[in-house]
Amino acid sequence: MARRTGEQTRALLLRAGMQLLLERGVSAGVQHIRLQDVLRRTGLTTGAAYRLWSDQADYHRELAVAMVRMRVTGPADVMRARVDELVAAGASGEDIIRGAALAHVQAAELATDDPTDLLDAQSFRVALALRTTADTWPELTEASHERHRESIEAFTELYQQVIDAYGMRMREGLTIEDFAEAMAAMAEGFAIQSLERLPHPSFQLSGSDGTPAGEWTLLGLTVRALVDSFMTAREDADPEAWVRLPRYA
């Protein structure tokens, strides 16, 4: 059997560290991933690790960066699949908001039985927790910024497809990128609350006094208000394509 190269060994040890992070959850943090546990899992010796990293802190830095860069699926793939299902079912614009927001809340709470979706949600939670400490190392800051840019690009494309399909446009002076940035800040904020084990509020609304009817998450209602602030119907749009949103003073 050919000997592993240094880069192959590095990748193996980082992959094992990321597996431990995913198994233990965000509470572990990279500082609690001991190189001895990683080496034991991979069957390698201490010398193999210390030929690559000067000490455990050096390994932790690179592990944190690798975890933030890790993606199980594309940035918007899971949400795109949910939105595509709703569009195919003839959902209204409000149904899109409500359904997509519920899917995000469930993912943040790991409330899914699909193995791929569960792994994607767990990796998102771990990466998000690490990103809140991005100023620890310059490399982690750079990786966090890179992940953010990738996500904004992917969700900008998804949001543009949805508003085109439902006859909406951005209000003057605002762009779809602005909307994506606001959505990211809001969605990640609610995800951090989930990490804190704060329950996500939901409401059963009657549809009176300008509220939408049915069961809504707080995220869904907030997205609904955000859509109304950032978007309006195109002049050539089908008025039935989107349930009009009330104006918020």
Side-chain angles (χ1 to χ4, degrees):
M1 181 182 297
R3 293 183 59 184
R4 292 188 186 91
T5 66
E7 284 307 305
Q8 289 172 332
T9 300
R10 182 189 300 274
L12 178 63
L13 292 172
L14 288 173
R15 188 162 58 246
M18 287 189 284
Q19 288 172 345
L20 286 171
L21 276 172
L22 291 170
E23 291 168 9
R24 297 176 183 179
V26 295
S27 61
V30 292
Q31 288 78 10
H32 297 282
I33 303 300
R34 297 172 61 247
L35 258 176
Q36 287 299 326
D37 294 337
V38 173
L39 291 166
R40 188 176 303 114
R41 173 164 293 204
T42 58
L44 298 178
T45 64
T46 303
Y50 288 103
R51 281 193 293 270
L52 297 167
W53 297 285
S54 59
D55 53 28
Q56 189 155 258
D58 196 25
Y59 173 74
H60 285 156
R61 173 187 53 78
E62 195 161 344
L63 175 61
V65 170
M67 190 69 237
V68 166
R69 287 178 173 162
M70 173 191 170
R71 289 191 186 273
V72 178
T73 63
D77 286 357
V78 173
M79 190 58 66
R80 185 185 300 278
R82 179 59 180 149
V83 168
D84 286 347
E85 288 176 3
L86 291 166
V87 171
S92 69
E94 287 204 341
D95 288 338
I96 295 287
I97 293 174
R98 180 167 56 173
L102 177 60
H104 178 80
V105 169
Q106 291 173 335
E109 295 175 348
L110 304 182
T112 176
D113 295 325
D114 183 278
T116 301
D117 288 351
L118 185 61
L119 180 58
D120 185 71
Q122 180 71 316
S123 68
F124 167 76
R125 283 162 57 100
V126 174
L128 182 61
L130 290 171
R131 288 174 61 200
T132 64
T133 64
D135 61 349
T136 306
W137 296 292
E139 298 91 340
L140 186 57
T141 302
E142 181 182 349
S144 182
H145 289 179
E146 180 183 345
R147 185 182 178 108
H148 179 74
R149 287 192 298 269
E150 289 174 352
S151 295
I152 293 300
E153 289 175 4
F155 278 98
T156 293
E157 181 180 351
L158 174 59
Y159 297 147
Q160 188 65 58
Q161 290 175 357
V162 172
I163 68 173
D164 287 345
Y166 285 85
M168 303 291 282
R169 66 170 176 81
M170 300 304 299
R171 295 185 184 277
E172 185 177 353
L174 297 170
T175 69
I176 191 67
E177 290 81 10
D178 296 330
F179 178 76
E181 289 281 2
M183 284 285 291
M186 187 166 59
E188 289 175 358
F190 279 118
I192 289 173
Q193 289 186 354
S194 176
L195 294 177
E196 298 170 324
R197 300 186 184 279
L198 294 173
H200 191 92
S202 61
F203 310 89
Q204 189 67 44
L205 302 176
S206 64
S208 62
D209 197 26
T211 64
E215 185 173 359
W216 283 76
T217 60
L218 180 58
L219 175 59
L221 288 175
T222 311
V223 173
R224 187 176 184 267
L226 195 66
V227 166
D228 189 51
S229 296
F230 277 73
M231 302 176 194
T232 189
R234 292 199 317 263
E235 289 72 12
D236 62 343
D238 177 358
E240 300 301 320
W242 187 283
V243 176
R244 288 302 300 138
L245 306 181
R247 296 282 177 247
Y248 293 88

